Amino acid sequence: MHTTTLRLFAVTALALASASALAQNAAPAKTAPAAKAAAKPEAADEAPARVERQHISYTVQADGSYIEQRESALKVLQAPAIERAKHESISYSASIQTLEVTEAYTRKADGRRVDVPKSNFQVETNEGRAGGGPAFSDIATTSLVFPDVEVGDTVVVNYKLVGKQPMFDRQFSVLDNVSANSYQGDLKVRIDTPASLWSQNRTFGAMKQVRDETVGDRHIVEWTYQNLAPAKDTRRDYSVYKVEDFPGYAFSTFRNYGQIAAAYGERALPKAAPTPRVRKLADEIAAGKKDQREVAKALYEWVSTNIQYAGNCIGLGAVVPRDQEFVLDNRIGDCKDHATLLQALLAAKNVPATQALINAGNVYQLPDIPVASSVNHVLNYLPGLDLYVDATAKGIPFGDLPIAVAGKPVLRVDQPELKAATAPLSSKRNRQRMVTDLIVQEDGSVKGKVEVELEGQPAIETRAAFRKVREKDSQEMIKKYFEAGGLSAEGSFTQDDPQALLDKHRYSAQFEVKQMLPVPGAFPVAPLFFNPMPVATFASSAQYDDSVYESEGQCIGGRSEEIYRIEFPATMKVIAVPPDARQEWEGSSYEAKYTLKGNVLEARRVIVDASQGPVCTQAHNRGYQQFAKKVLPNLKAQLVYQ
């Protein structure tokens, strides 16, 4: 499963597409590409607005605190951009930063200036937000509404953020990119630091360094960038992001990533010493368990299922975990709090554990310049089991990791200089087997049963989805599912208890659907009920333009098997069935066999995607796409009857 098909697990939408395919005599269900992959590239002359000016400066103090100043000017070229231009939101760390908006106005096309009145400023904190108040996140947002904005106007905002304390003592780092496919009239970046602070910096793409000198006791670096004729963005896949591929800059006083891990550990580890309350809780959770793995599993599952997530995980003003008592009293915390509490519980039971920093976004290779923002998440490492666990990610079984942090470099707090990484997800564990038994009536109504068995990631994510389904909704699931496709149906749904944190799941559905199929008619052999990993999904890349694979992308393999038995009444005659097929490519394979016995079609098809993630090269993705193009015609082949 490649980027365009990786996030398969919106099971209901996928199921409706499959049901509609049969009901409307259409092609098999197709999974849509990721949002960025599906978006039409925008030409420069089609952009509804453009950035005329963007000036950014950082003035850093000896302790690492800094003043950040930003000025921007956005010109409205087309009416659709007016609403966007009228609103500006500035977010900051309210506990250690103060905001001063020095200018905010609309420059009319005729040269007039219309200032934003103070009444159009609105400050929002986390007080009263879902997930906790300011105790869980210190992020505040000041929103500005610009009056009287029309096409041809330019909105200008100039503000300053004054930091009271640094993220890490005597350290400062920043990294940013801009799009190579967007208009930039005048981008300037200036960083002014004490000469006594060692630093390193780098530019990417067409960003130019225009100054790097020491003046008195200050070191000043300046960069500029301009893009007056941006080209179309032909790249569709941004699931793997490398900062070096885009115009930008990086500046850091850290000599290496080990210093970042050590700086975090200096603040975080003292919070992980188990308190008497934590020792007592650990004893209760692990009661009767002796094996280290079983003890660790019990403690991990308790934190994962009992501590909710809230807050900003790592950022300015958010690098010190909260006290264990506070997290336990409120049963809520961010990633640092989850990792610190779990480490304390493990320590209480003599299970060695540490913490590790990681990027939970789409960065799989840390930039050369060590910047603190490159690692935005915290998880735990258990050296005795050689295992990474992420208690913040809900619904993940012990020993597994969510896709977002699998196969990525980590900064171990216990060994800051060690080059380490989490294990990639094993494609061999991702399996689905679906058995469908259908009896077609003379009027096109269908009686059927579908049984689905899942392993690995599809099982984990399907369990997570089903945990949110209320019992009442479960009882109405069949009716509502087919109703959404314009069909009338009755039936029942059963499944394994989804609450346990497991990587296996089974569910089944029995249904009677009135007049589902046209008589006479034809339809492709496709799933009638939702399932997270249909065979057709593995071939969906065949439908996309070749430009989808102009870069490497996130990927994960797996195996999907579909078995069908479709029985027609004696009054109908099956006059055509799909042909048997077999395709192979570099370990990936597809095999389909269709056997007609009287009025009963028996079909079995199996697809294996042998892609080894988490990142697949451009060449691999293109090769797999060619394999998928050979598979797709067989999936579209029709079963014809009269």
Side-chain angles (χ1 to χ4, degrees), residues 286-577:
K289 295 177 172 59
K290 302 295 183 182
D291 179 74
Q292 184 181 101
R293 186 180 182 89
E294 288 302 309
V295 170
K297 179 175 181 289
L299 298 175
Y300 162 84
E301 290 185 346
W302 190 93
V303 174
S304 178
T305 56
N306 286 277
I307 306 299
Q308 298 180 30
Y309 177 81
N312 43 308
C313 200
I314 295 182
L316 194 61
V319 293
V320 181
R322 297 170 182 85
D323 291 338
Q324 298 162 32
E325 306 299 312
F326 183 90
V327 176
L328 289 174
D329 285 343
N330 292 278
R331 295 294 177 95
I332 199 167
D334 61 23
C335 67
K336 303 183 305 297
D337 303 326
H338 281 75
T340 300
L341 176 59
L342 179 55
Q343 184 176 355
L345 288 165
L346 290 165
K349 300 304 294 180
N350 298 315
V351 178
T354 187
Q355 296 181 40
L357 306 179
I358 195 169
N359 184 285
N362 53 357
V363 173
Y364 286 83
Q365 179 179 319
L366 294 176
D368 291 341
I369 302 294
V371 174
S373 61
S374 295
V375 283
N376 55 11
H377 187 59
V378 185
L379 38 70
N380 293 99
Y381 176 68
L382 283 56
L385 301 174
D386 190 21
L387 193 65
Y388 289 92
V389 296
D390 186 359
T392 309
K394 306 308 176 185
I396 305 298
F398 181 75
D400 281 300
L401 288 172
I403 292 175
V405 296
K408 289 186 173 182
V410 294
L411 310 182
R412 288 250 304 268
V413 174
D414 62 329
Q415 298 186 54
E417 304 300 330
L418 179 68
K419 290 186 177 181
T422 57
L425 299 178
S426 171
S427 62
K428 294 181 180 180
R429 292 182 54 222
N430 299 321
R431 303 171 70 89
Q432 173 176 291
R433 184 175 189 270
M434 184 187 68
V435 179
T436 302
D437 198 332
L438 305 176
I439 300 177
V440 180
Q441 310 297 314
E442 290 184 350
D443 64 351
S445 299
V446 173
K447 292 183 179 180
K449 181 178 182 180
V450 175
E451 296 179 332
V452 179
E453 297 180 5
L454 304 169
E455 295 182 29
Q457 201 65 29
I460 292 169
E461 299 210 15
T462 300
R463 277 181 168 270
F466 281 145
R467 288 189 192 103
K468 302 174 184 177
V469 177
R470 298 176 301 178
E471 179 62 28
K472 179 181 177 181
D473 294 332
S474 178
Q475 295 172 2
E476 295 289 314
M477 186 178 294
I478 302 298
K479 179 181 177 181
K480 291 182 178 179
Y481 170 75
F482 285 102
E483 264 183 5
L487 299 168
S488 176
E490 295 181 351
S492 61
F493 173 81
T494 60
Q495 65 169 324
D496 294 343
D497 181 358
Q499 298 304 319
L501 303 186
L502 299 174
D503 63 351
K504 293 181 175 58
H505 194 61
R506 296 177 300 173
Y507 62 88
S508 64
Q510 291 185 325
F511 46 81
E512 295 186 20
V513 189
K514 294 181 180 178
Q515 295 179 324
M516 183 177 189
L517 303 175
V519 179
F523 61 86
V525 179
L528 264 71
F529 197 62
F530 64 75
N531 61 104
M533 212 165 72
V535 168
T537 303
F538 286 85
S540 61
S541 63
Q543 304 164 80
Y544 307 128
D545 187 85
D546 290 349
S547 63
V548 169
Y549 298 117
E550 287 186 349
S551 61
E552 61 186 1
Q554 189 183 35
C555 64
I556 178 174
R559 180 185 191 275
S560 183
E561 177 182 10
E562 295 176 357
I563 298 173
Y564 296 89
R565 182 184 185 278
I566 305 175
E567 180 180 340
F568 290 88
T571 55
M572 290 187 188
K573 181 179 180 180
V574 178
I575 58 177
V577 300

Side-chain angles (χ1 to χ4, degrees), residues 163-373:
K164 304 173 187 176
Q165 67 184 62
M167 182 176 180
F168 295 115
D169 293 338
R170 292 185 57 79
Q171 299 285 4
F172 171 82
S173 62
V174 64
L175 182 150
D176 203 2
N177 287 111
V178 296
S179 171
N181 308 107
S182 297
Y183 183 96
Q184 283 283 349
D186 177 24
L187 173 60
K188 293 180 180 178
V189 181
R190 184 177 191 270
I191 299 180
D192 181 344
T193 61
S196 59
L197 290 182
W198 181 92
S199 65
Q200 57 181 320
N201 65 81
R202 182 182 171 187
T203 59
F204 315 119
M207 198 88 177
K208 295 180 180 179
Q209 187 173 78
V210 296
R211 188 180 184 188
D212 187 353
E213 64 177 337
T214 299
V215 180
D217 62 352
R218 305 297 295 182
H219 177 214
I220 301 170
V221 178
E222 293 181 358
W223 302 292
T224 62
Y225 176 74
Q226 192 176 60
N227 190 4
L228 303 182
K232 279 188 176 183
D233 184 5
T234 59
R235 179 172 174 174
R236 303 298 201 278
D237 183 355
Y238 285 88
S239 61
V240 175
Y241 188 87
K242 290 183 178 180
V243 300
E244 295 86 355
D245 292 343
F246 305 90
Y249 58 91
F251 182 99
S252 180
T253 60
F254 291 104
R255 294 178 182 271
N256 50 56
Y257 279 104
Q259 284 192 339
I260 296 176
Y264 170 79
E266 184 178 345
R267 292 190 176 188
L269 293 185
K271 296 282 188 176
T275 64
R277 179 180 177 182
V278 164
R279 291 187 181 278
K280 181 175 181 295
L281 178 61
D283 288 341
E284 294 170 355
I285 296 170
K289 295 177 172 59
K290 302 295 183 182
D291 179 74
Q292 184 181 101
R293 186 180 182 89
E294 288 302 309
V295 170
K297 179 175 181 289
L299 298 175
Y300 162 84
E301 290 185 346
W302 190 93
V303 174
S304 178
T305 56
N306 286 277
I307 306 299
Q308 298 180 30
Y309 177 81
N312 43 308
C313 200
I314 295 182
L316 194 61
V319 293
V320 181
R322 297 170 182 85
D323 291 338
Q324 298 162 32
E325 306 299 312
F326 183 90
V327 176
L328 289 174
D329 285 343
N330 292 278
R331 295 294 177 95
I332 199 167
D334 61 23
C335 67
K336 303 183 305 297
D337 303 326
H338 281 75
T340 300
L341 176 59
L342 179 55
Q343 184 176 355
L345 288 165
L346 290 165
K349 300 304 294 180
N350 298 315
V351 178
T354 187
Q355 296 181 40
L357 306 179
I358 195 169
N359 184 285
N362 53 357
V363 173
Y364 286 83
Q365 179 179 319
L366 294 176
D368 291 341
I369 302 294
V371 174
S373 61

